Amino acid sequence: MALKMNLRLGTGMPNVNGQKKIRHILSLSGGKDSAALAIYMRDRIDGMEYIFHDSGKELPETYEYLERLEGYLGTKVVRTTFGTTFDDLLRRYGGILPSNHRRWCTKMMKLKPFEDYVGNDECVNYIGIRADEDRVGYISHKPNIIASFPFRDDGIAYEDVVRILMESGIGLPPYIEWGRSRSGCYFCFYQQKIEWVRLKQKHPEYYEMAKAYEKPNRVNGNVFFWCKEESLEDLEQPERMQQIIENWEKSQEKQRQRRKDVPLASILAGMEYEPPTREGCLICQL
């Protein structure tokens, strides 16, 4: 399919008072969709700013992928930080780990750094939600930040994203090779249990660091786990890990049997087809 895009905003277009220029900013997560969007937009917007909200808890493969992308884009990706570390924030929140119900890590280490970076400037924020995804994602409530969805506007779906990455030579994120489906922190609470198993197998040192966070908090002394009801200490037991692997293999086989039309791009890339709806934090995973 021919890839094209309708741009409604020109580069550096003055705002209504004619005094400021619009900034064009694309946030990278270390994932395939935002990387493909950066490639797709490279020659369409002059002066595009590429930023990465570095939590300090990323996988080494994520940093490697960003460096690879910088080489293709021919420009540096700005690393934004909030000025405090995850551990500083964890102490501020009483040692209570973030979860899908307590997403303070997203708020304080992703969203706030982005809005601080933009400040009061007029900004178009480019977001890599695909045309085959049914979700809105993060849209700033600040009136000076406008969200733009080029992939959705241009009908770019999963197989197109894979093709963009392959044709550019950037390829897919290296962590996909060992079975991780998402970018983001190595202890991301949105990980599937099979991904925890793979983290244990591929990066046991990161697994141990994640496990060390599971200790009584200062608020009520309760222990919070990354996997809700199961501790990483229990999960890493050989019998439990084998059970998780077997359950995952069975679920994958059921999904393969249900799918009739698997995109060719998925086969060529050696990847499982990604369903249109993904659970997780948008700004971390795209």
Side-chain angles (χ1 to χ4, degrees), residues 123-165:
C123 163
V124 179
N125 179 214
Y126 296 88
I127 301 171
I129 293 182
R130 306 188 308 265
D132 59 346
E133 292 187 286
D134 183 20
R135 60 175 179 167
V136 176
Y138 165 71
I139 298 178
S140 176
H141 296 294
K142 296 186 67 175
N144 59 305
I145 300 176
I146 300 171
S148 176
F149 303 92
F151 283 168
R152 179 177 292 175
D153 293 342
D154 293 354
I156 306 300
Y158 171 80
E159 58 267 28
D160 301 309
V161 163
V162 173
R163 181 162 57 83
I164 290 169
L165 292 172

Side-chain angles (χ1 to χ4, degrees), residues 179-182 191-199:
R180 183 180 171 97
S181 65
R182 64 191 66 239
Q191 288 182 91
Q192 302 174 59
K193 291 192 176 181
I194 186 63
E195 293 179 287
W196 281 108
V197 170
R198 290 164 174 166
L199 180 68

Side-chain angles (χ1 to χ4, degrees), residues 249-266:
E249 290 174 345
K250 290 177 183 177
S251 69
Q252 290 299 297
E253 180 58 32
K254 288 180 180 178
Q255 288 183 31
R256 280 191 288 268
Q257 292 175 0
R258 286 197 300 265
R259 291 197 298 264
K260 296 181 179 179
D261 300 313
V262 178
L264 178 60
S266 301

Side-chain angles (χ1 to χ4, degrees), residues 64-78:
E64 175 192 335
Y65 196 55
L66 288 170
E67 290 175 1
R68 192 187 307 173
L69 188 59
E70 284 179 327
Y72 181 89
L73 297 174
T75 187
K76 295 293 290 182
V77 174
V78 176

